[in-house]
Amino acid sequence: MPYDTLVVGLIAQALAVGAALLMYVARKINIHMLENVLFGLILIVIDQDLLILAVSCLLIMLLIRTFNRILLTYISPDIAKVRGFATNYYDYLFVMMITLVTIASVKIVGAVLVGALLLIPGATARLLTKNMGSFVLLSAMFFLCATSFRIVRKG
């Protein structure tokens, strides 16, 4: 198992243990607010969150159009630089996309599940396929299924 998979799993566990200890130490915490932050609540989603999701979708559409360049940039940045690709642009674009998706997702699925939903679909798809195109497609499908199941179950 890669180290990044283990790190995200440990972060999710540490967040859950920290929240449990916080509830135990400070007994005056509003349990419903803490539960909403940890596990999400679709009822508190506002128009700005939908706008962030729309911007994220547009960024993903831009990334799909330049998939081969992005793939080369992340597999071998040196070769991408030699070919004249703007590797810093793709790095910043990727970080911005992950940030926007994380901000929008915390309200819907919660802080505990955001890390898991960023990692587990990709790790699962990595085990099922060796082709990069099907890897990306399977990751997106697993993410959408897990998020949809969470929204339907919670809402």
Short mmCIF file of all heavy atoms in Angstrom, two decimals, residues 39-42 45 53 101-102 104-110 113-121 138-155:
data_model
loop_
_atom_site.label_atom_id
_atom_site.label_comp_id
_atom_site.label_asym_id
_atom_site.label_seq_id
_atom_site.Cartn_x
_atom_site.Cartn_y
_atom_site.Cartn_z
N PHE A 39 -19.47 14.97 9.77
CA PHE A 39 -20.16 14.04 8.89
C PHE A 39 -21.02 14.70 7.83
O PHE A 39 -21.63 14.03 7.02
CB PHE A 39 -21.02 13.08 9.72
CG PHE A 39 -20.21 12.33 10.73
CD1 PHE A 39 -20.36 12.59 12.07
CD2 PHE A 39 -19.28 11.39 10.33
CE1 PHE A 39 -19.62 11.91 13.01
CE2 PHE A 39 -18.52 10.70 11.26
CZ PHE A 39 -18.69 10.97 12.60
N GLY A 40 -21.08 16.03 7.82
CA GLY A 40 -21.78 16.75 6.77
C GLY A 40 -23.29 16.77 6.93
O GLY A 40 -23.87 15.95 7.62
N LEU A 41 -23.91 17.75 6.29
CA LEU A 41 -25.36 17.88 6.26
C LEU A 41 -25.73 18.65 5.01
O LEU A 41 -25.34 19.80 4.84
CB LEU A 41 -25.87 18.60 7.51
CG LEU A 41 -27.38 18.75 7.64
CD1 LEU A 41 -28.03 17.37 7.79
CD2 LEU A 41 -27.73 19.61 8.82
N ILE A 42 -26.47 18.02 4.14
CA ILE A 42 -26.81 18.64 2.86
C ILE A 42 -27.76 19.82 3.02
O ILE A 42 -27.84 20.68 2.17
CB ILE A 42 -27.38 17.60 1.88
CG1 ILE A 42 -27.42 18.18 0.47
CG2 ILE A 42 -28.76 17.18 2.29
CD1 ILE A 42 -27.06 17.27 -0.58
N VAL A 45 -26.20 23.47 2.75
CA VAL A 45 -25.56 23.90 1.50
C VAL A 45 -26.26 25.15 0.99
O VAL A 45 -27.49 25.20 0.92
CB VAL A 45 -25.61 22.77 0.46
CG1 VAL A 45 -25.09 23.24 -0.88
CG2 VAL A 45 -24.83 21.57 0.94
N LEU A 53 -19.00 24.36 -6.61
CA LEU A 53 -19.09 23.09 -7.33
C LEU A 53 -19.13 23.30 -8.83
O LEU A 53 -18.51 22.54 -9.59
CB LEU A 53 -20.32 22.31 -6.87
CG LEU A 53 -20.22 21.65 -5.51
CD1 LEU A 53 -21.57 21.06 -5.11
CD2 LEU A 53 -19.15 20.58 -5.50
N VAL A 101 -12.85 21.54 -4.46
CA VAL A 101 -13.67 20.34 -4.23
C VAL A 101 -13.74 20.02 -2.74
O VAL A 101 -14.79 19.66 -2.22
CB VAL A 101 -13.12 19.15 -5.04
CG1 VAL A 101 -13.76 17.85 -4.62
CG2 VAL A 101 -13.33 19.39 -6.52
N THR A 102 -12.63 20.18 -2.04
CA THR A 102 -12.62 19.90 -0.60
C THR A 102 -13.52 20.87 0.15
O THR A 102 -14.30 20.46 1.01
CB THR A 102 -11.18 19.99 -0.05
OG1 THR A 102 -10.37 19.06 -0.76
CG2 THR A 102 -11.14 19.68 1.42
N ALA A 104 -16.12 22.55 -0.95
CA ALA A 104 -17.53 22.28 -1.25
C ALA A 104 -17.98 20.96 -0.65
O ALA A 104 -19.13 20.82 -0.25
CB ALA A 104 -17.73 22.28 -2.76
N SER A 105 -17.09 19.99 -0.55
CA SER A 105 -17.48 18.67 -0.08
C SER A 105 -17.63 18.58 1.43
O SER A 105 -18.37 17.72 1.91
CB SER A 105 -16.44 17.64 -0.52
OG SER A 105 -16.37 17.60 -1.91
N VAL A 106 -16.95 19.42 2.18
CA VAL A 106 -17.00 19.33 3.64
C VAL A 106 -18.43 19.50 4.14
O VAL A 106 -18.88 18.79 5.03
CB VAL A 106 -16.04 20.34 4.30
CG1 VAL A 106 -16.33 20.50 5.78
CG2 VAL A 106 -14.61 19.90 4.11
N LYS A 107 -19.18 20.43 3.57
CA LYS A 107 -20.56 20.64 4.02
C LYS A 107 -21.45 19.46 3.66
O LYS A 107 -22.39 19.15 4.38
CB LYS A 107 -21.14 21.91 3.42
CG LYS A 107 -20.67 23.16 4.09
CD LYS A 107 -21.46 24.33 3.61
CE LYS A 107 -21.09 25.58 4.37
NZ LYS A 107 -21.88 26.72 3.93
N ILE A 108 -21.18 18.81 2.55
CA ILE A 108 -22.07 17.73 2.09
C ILE A 108 -21.73 16.41 2.76
O ILE A 108 -22.61 15.75 3.31
CB ILE A 108 -22.00 17.60 0.56
CG1 ILE A 108 -22.49 18.89 -0.10
CG2 ILE A 108 -22.82 16.41 0.08
CD1 ILE A 108 -22.27 18.95 -1.58
N VAL A 109 -20.48 16.01 2.74
CA VAL A 109 -20.12 14.69 3.27
C VAL A 109 -19.35 14.73 4.58
O VAL A 109 -19.19 13.71 5.23
CB VAL A 109 -19.32 13.86 2.24
CG1 VAL A 109 -20.16 13.57 1.03
CG2 VAL A 109 -18.03 14.53 1.87
N GLY A 110 -18.84 15.89 4.99
CA GLY A 110 -18.16 16.01 6.26
C GLY A 110 -16.65 15.88 6.14
O GLY A 110 -16.12 15.34 5.17
N LEU A 113 -15.02 12.26 5.95
CA LEU A 113 -15.15 11.53 4.70
C LEU A 113 -14.46 12.20 3.51
O LEU A 113 -14.25 11.55 2.48
CB LEU A 113 -16.62 11.30 4.37
CG LEU A 113 -17.36 10.40 5.36
CD1 LEU A 113 -18.82 10.31 4.98
CD2 LEU A 113 -16.74 9.03 5.41
N VAL A 114 -14.12 13.47 3.62
CA VAL A 114 -13.50 14.16 2.48
C VAL A 114 -12.17 13.50 2.12
O VAL A 114 -11.90 13.19 0.95
CB VAL A 114 -13.32 15.66 2.76
CG1 VAL A 114 -12.40 16.30 1.75
CG2 VAL A 114 -14.66 16.35 2.70
N GLY A 115 -11.32 13.30 3.11
CA GLY A 115 -10.03 12.66 2.85
C GLY A 115 -10.20 11.26 2.28
O GLY A 115 -9.49 10.86 1.34
N ALA A 116 -11.14 10.53 2.83
CA ALA A 116 -11.39 9.18 2.33
C ALA A 116 -11.92 9.21 0.90
O ALA A 116 -11.51 8.39 0.07
CB ALA A 116 -12.37 8.46 3.25
N LEU A 117 -12.80 10.16 0.60
CA LEU A 117 -13.35 10.22 -0.75
C LEU A 117 -12.36 10.76 -1.77
O LEU A 117 -12.53 10.55 -2.97
CB LEU A 117 -14.63 11.06 -0.76
CG LEU A 117 -15.85 10.37 -0.19
CD1 LEU A 117 -17.03 11.33 -0.13
CD2 LEU A 117 -16.23 9.14 -1.00
N LEU A 118 -11.34 11.46 -1.31
CA LEU A 118 -10.29 11.89 -2.24
C LEU A 118 -9.32 10.77 -2.54
O LEU A 118 -8.70 10.74 -3.60
CB LEU A 118 -9.53 13.09 -1.67
CG LEU A 118 -10.26 14.42 -1.70
CD1 LEU A 118 -9.46 15.48 -0.95
CD2 LEU A 118 -10.52 14.86 -3.12
N LEU A 119 -9.19 9.82 -1.62
CA LEU A 119 -8.18 8.78 -1.76
C LEU A 119 -8.73 7.42 -2.16
O LEU A 119 -8.19 6.77 -3.06
CB LEU A 119 -7.40 8.65 -0.45
CG LEU A 119 -6.38 7.54 -0.47
CD1 LEU A 119 -5.15 8.01 -1.19
CD2 LEU A 119 -6.08 7.07 0.90
N ILE A 120 -9.76 6.96 -1.52
CA ILE A 120 -10.22 5.58 -1.68
C ILE A 120 -10.68 5.26 -3.11
O ILE A 120 -10.33 4.20 -3.62
CB ILE A 120 -11.29 5.23 -0.64
CG1 ILE A 120 -10.62 5.18 0.74
CG2 ILE A 120 -11.98 3.92 -0.94
CD1 ILE A 120 -11.56 5.00 1.89
N PRO A 121 -11.43 6.14 -3.79
CA PRO A 121 -11.78 5.79 -5.18
C PRO A 121 -10.57 5.58 -6.08
O PRO A 121 -10.54 4.65 -6.88
CB PRO A 121 -12.62 6.99 -5.64
CG PRO A 121 -13.19 7.55 -4.40
CD PRO A 121 -12.12 7.35 -3.36
N LEU A 138 -12.75 5.08 -13.70
CA LEU A 138 -13.22 4.31 -12.55
C LEU A 138 -13.15 5.13 -11.26
O LEU A 138 -14.05 5.05 -10.42
CB LEU A 138 -12.38 3.04 -12.39
CG LEU A 138 -12.77 1.85 -13.24
CD1 LEU A 138 -11.76 0.72 -13.07
CD2 LEU A 138 -14.16 1.36 -12.88
N SER A 139 -12.09 5.91 -11.09
CA SER A 139 -11.98 6.75 -9.90
C SER A 139 -13.14 7.73 -9.81
O SER A 139 -13.75 7.89 -8.75
CB SER A 139 -10.67 7.54 -9.91
OG SER A 139 -9.58 6.69 -9.86
N ALA A 140 -13.45 8.37 -10.92
CA ALA A 140 -14.56 9.33 -10.93
C ALA A 140 -15.89 8.62 -10.67
O ALA A 140 -16.73 9.13 -9.92
CB ALA A 140 -14.60 10.06 -12.27
N MET A 141 -16.08 7.44 -11.24
CA MET A 141 -17.33 6.71 -11.02
C MET A 141 -17.47 6.28 -9.56
O MET A 141 -18.56 6.39 -8.98
CB MET A 141 -17.41 5.49 -11.95
CG MET A 141 -17.72 5.87 -13.37
SD MET A 141 -17.81 4.52 -14.57
CE MET A 141 -18.11 3.08 -13.65
N PHE A 142 -16.39 5.79 -8.97
CA PHE A 142 -16.44 5.39 -7.55
C PHE A 142 -16.74 6.59 -6.66
O PHE A 142 -17.51 6.50 -5.72
CB PHE A 142 -15.13 4.73 -7.11
CG PHE A 142 -14.91 3.37 -7.70
CD1 PHE A 142 -13.63 2.91 -7.94
CD2 PHE A 142 -15.97 2.54 -8.01
CE1 PHE A 142 -13.42 1.65 -8.47
CE2 PHE A 142 -15.77 1.29 -8.55
CZ PHE A 142 -14.49 0.83 -8.78
N PHE A 143 -16.12 7.73 -6.96
CA PHE A 143 -16.36 8.94 -6.18
C PHE A 143 -17.81 9.38 -6.29
O PHE A 143 -18.46 9.70 -5.29
CB PHE A 143 -15.42 10.06 -6.64
CG PHE A 143 -15.65 11.35 -5.91
CD1 PHE A 143 -15.10 11.55 -4.66
CD2 PHE A 143 -16.42 12.36 -6.46
CE1 PHE A 143 -15.31 12.73 -3.98
CE2 PHE A 143 -16.63 13.54 -5.79
CZ PHE A 143 -16.07 13.72 -4.54
N LEU A 144 -18.34 9.41 -7.51
CA LEU A 144 -19.73 9.82 -7.71
C LEU A 144 -20.70 8.87 -7.03
O LEU A 144 -21.69 9.31 -6.43
CB LEU A 144 -20.04 9.94 -9.20
CG LEU A 144 -19.40 11.12 -9.91
CD1 LEU A 144 -19.67 11.05 -11.40
CD2 LEU A 144 -19.92 12.43 -9.35
N CYS A 145 -20.45 7.58 -7.12
CA CYS A 145 -21.33 6.60 -6.47
C CYS A 145 -21.30 6.76 -4.95
O CYS A 145 -22.35 6.75 -4.30
CB CYS A 145 -20.93 5.18 -6.86
SG CYS A 145 -21.31 4.75 -8.55
N ALA A 146 -20.12 6.92 -4.38
CA ALA A 146 -20.01 7.06 -2.93
C ALA A 146 -20.66 8.35 -2.45
O ALA A 146 -21.38 8.35 -1.44
CB ALA A 146 -18.54 7.03 -2.51
N THR A 147 -20.45 9.44 -3.17
CA THR A 147 -21.05 10.72 -2.77
C THR A 147 -22.55 10.68 -2.93
O THR A 147 -23.29 11.15 -2.06
CB THR A 147 -20.45 11.86 -3.60
OG1 THR A 147 -19.03 11.82 -3.49
CG2 THR A 147 -20.94 13.20 -3.12
N SER A 148 -23.04 10.11 -4.03
CA SER A 148 -24.49 10.02 -4.25
C SER A 148 -25.14 9.15 -3.19
O SER A 148 -26.20 9.48 -2.67
CB SER A 148 -24.78 9.44 -5.63
OG SER A 148 -24.24 10.26 -6.62
N PHE A 149 -24.49 8.05 -2.84
CA PHE A 149 -25.02 7.18 -1.80
C PHE A 149 -25.08 7.93 -0.46
O PHE A 149 -26.05 7.82 0.27
CB PHE A 149 -24.16 5.92 -1.66
CG PHE A 149 -24.60 5.02 -0.55
CD1 PHE A 149 -25.76 4.26 -0.68
CD2 PHE A 149 -23.87 4.94 0.62
CE1 PHE A 149 -26.17 3.43 0.35
CE2 PHE A 149 -24.28 4.13 1.66
CZ PHE A 149 -25.43 3.36 1.52
N ARG A 150 -24.07 8.71 -0.18
CA ARG A 150 -24.04 9.47 1.07
C ARG A 150 -25.14 10.53 1.10
O ARG A 150 -25.80 10.72 2.13
CB ARG A 150 -22.66 10.13 1.25
CG ARG A 150 -22.54 11.02 2.44
CD ARG A 150 -22.53 10.24 3.70
NE ARG A 150 -22.40 11.16 4.82
CZ ARG A 150 -22.67 10.86 6.04
NH1 ARG A 150 -23.06 9.65 6.35
NH2 ARG A 150 -22.54 11.75 6.99
N ILE A 151 -25.35 11.22 -0.01
CA ILE A 151 -26.38 12.26 -0.06
C ILE A 151 -27.77 11.63 0.08
O ILE A 151 -28.60 12.12 0.84
CB ILE A 151 -26.27 13.06 -1.36
CG1 ILE A 151 -25.01 13.92 -1.34
CG2 ILE A 151 -27.49 13.95 -1.57
CD1 ILE A 151 -24.70 14.58 -2.66
N VAL A 152 -28.03 10.55 -0.64
CA VAL A 152 -29.34 9.91 -0.57
C VAL A 152 -29.59 9.34 0.82
O VAL A 152 -30.67 9.47 1.38
CB VAL A 152 -29.45 8.79 -1.65
CG1 VAL A 152 -30.67 7.93 -1.42
CG2 VAL A 152 -29.47 9.41 -3.03
N ARG A 153 -28.58 8.74 1.40
CA ARG A 153 -28.72 8.13 2.72
C ARG A 153 -28.90 9.17 3.80
O ARG A 153 -29.69 9.02 4.73
CB ARG A 153 -27.50 7.27 3.02
CG ARG A 153 -27.67 6.44 4.24
CD ARG A 153 -26.59 5.37 4.29
NE ARG A 153 -26.56 4.90 5.64
CZ ARG A 153 -25.56 5.11 6.50
NH1 ARG A 153 -24.52 5.79 6.10
NH2 ARG A 153 -25.60 4.66 7.72
N LYS A 154 -28.15 10.28 3.73
CA LYS A 154 -28.19 11.32 4.74
C LYS A 154 -29.41 12.21 4.58
O LYS A 154 -30.02 12.62 5.56
CB LYS A 154 -26.92 12.18 4.66
CG LYS A 154 -26.77 13.19 5.75
CD LYS A 154 -26.26 12.55 7.00
CE LYS A 154 -25.96 13.64 8.03
NZ LYS A 154 -25.40 13.13 9.21
N GLY A 155 -29.74 12.55 3.33
CA GLY A 155 -30.85 13.47 3.08
C GLY A 155 -32.16 12.77 3.17
O GLY A 155 -33.05 12.89 3.86
#
